Amino acid sequence: MSLVDQWNALETGLDPRWQDARLALRLADAEEAERALALLAPAGPGRSGNEIRFYVQRTDSAIGPEAVRRLLRRVDEEGILAELSLDKTESAAPTRAVERPTIAAAWDAVVATLPEDWSDLLCEIDLTSTDYIDRAALLMAPLNPYQTESGRPGFQFRVARTFGYGASSGMVRRCLTRLDHDGIPGKVRILRALSDTHPVGTQGPVWYVGGKAV
């Protein structure tokens, strides 16, 4: 069975309220892993041995069900044999009478203000309490967040649009959505932005903040 057909079967069997699902792709040949990772790159996949894991979100996500179908079709077309399974799923919480703005929605809003040719960002998220630091660091681990010396609870992280040093915008949104699901409040903002950069022999631009490279 093709990977597209496997995904169709899995999607049909999901709870109608599903919102966030983690998929596991087990390759028949571990030597195909790098090629499969490249084909699935827009989904921000992670690899462990011959298994690749990535997330799909039902709503408000660049990597939704149809995007996953397209990516898996590329893997099928390359003749890479694998088995797709559902590793974890989360359902949408019941709608509240009053909804607070989510961090993920705030991220969408700030990205919408950027010029079309933006390429690199330095971002910051402020948390409302130091009680959330450890849990937020775990949920945001794919962004390689780091604490600043400002004294405020929160992190800074970098974003790269197509290549270079930093997480993708889609990965940032997924991590911020995890904060929302955990009920961790905060505010996200863009500190610095660059457009249309073309690094030569480097992973990307470097900003100096307080005398330190970030």
Side-chain angles (χ1 to χ4, degrees):
M1 183 185 294
S2 71
L3 290 174
V4 172
D5 288 338
Q6 291 180 50
W7 166 237
N8 290 339
L10 288 173
E11 184 183 17
T12 300
L14 288 172
D15 186 313
R17 299 172 301 163
W18 80 274
Q19 183 174 10
D20 192 335
R22 185 170 70 174
L23 302 177
L25 186 68
R26 184 176 293 275
L27 302 169
D29 184 354
E31 293 184 358
E32 299 278 18
E34 291 302 323
R35 194 152 58 109
L37 281 171
L39 294 168
L40 296 170
R47 176 191 174 190
S48 177
N50 68 332
E51 189 168 271
I52 296 174
R53 291 188 176 90
F54 56 95
Y55 279 88
V56 55
Q57 287 184 312
R58 189 178 186 182
T59 58
D60 301 326
S61 172
I63 306 300
E66 289 304 319
V68 167
R69 225 179 311 276
R70 290 193 296 271
L71 295 177
L72 292 176
R73 186 172 290 113
R74 296 176 188 173
V75 179
D76 282 332
E77 291 172 351
E78 288 293 317
I80 299 175
L81 301 179
E83 180 181 350
L84 186 69
S85 62
L86 183 64
D87 190 50
K88 182 182 179 183
T89 184
E90 294 181 6
S91 298
T95 303
R96 299 175 182 175
V98 178
E99 294 284 352
R100 65 174 176 83
T102 65
I103 308 176
W107 171 252
D108 292 339
V110 295
V111 171
T113 66
L114 294 170
E116 293 184 358
D117 63 346
W118 76 267
S119 55
D120 302 272
L121 306 175
L122 176 63
C123 303
E124 184 173 64
I125 180 168
D126 284 334
L127 305 176
T128 58
S129 171
T130 55
D131 292 342
Y132 299 122
I133 288 291
D134 291 343
R135 180 61 177 166
L138 177 63
L139 295 173
M140 295 176 60
L143 309 185
N144 193 26
Y146 57 93
Q147 289 184 263
T148 67
E149 298 177 357
S150 66
R152 298 191 305 270
F155 303 96
Q156 290 185 358
F157 56 91
R158 290 189 54 168
V159 186
R161 187 171 189 177
T162 56
F163 58 86
Y165 182 76
S168 68
S169 179
M171 177 58 74
V172 172
R173 197 185 195 287
R174 285 195 291 279
C175 290
L176 297 181
T177 297
R178 294 171 194 170
L179 297 183
D180 289 327
H181 286 172
D182 256 41
I184 298 177
K187 295 181 179 179
V188 64
R189 58 179 173 271
I190 295 172
L191 301 178
R192 303 190 182 191
L194 293 175
S195 295
D196 198 27
T197 58
H198 298 280
V200 177
T202 70
Q203 290 187 328
V206 174
W207 285 288
Y208 283 91
V209 179
K212 295 183 179 180
V214 297

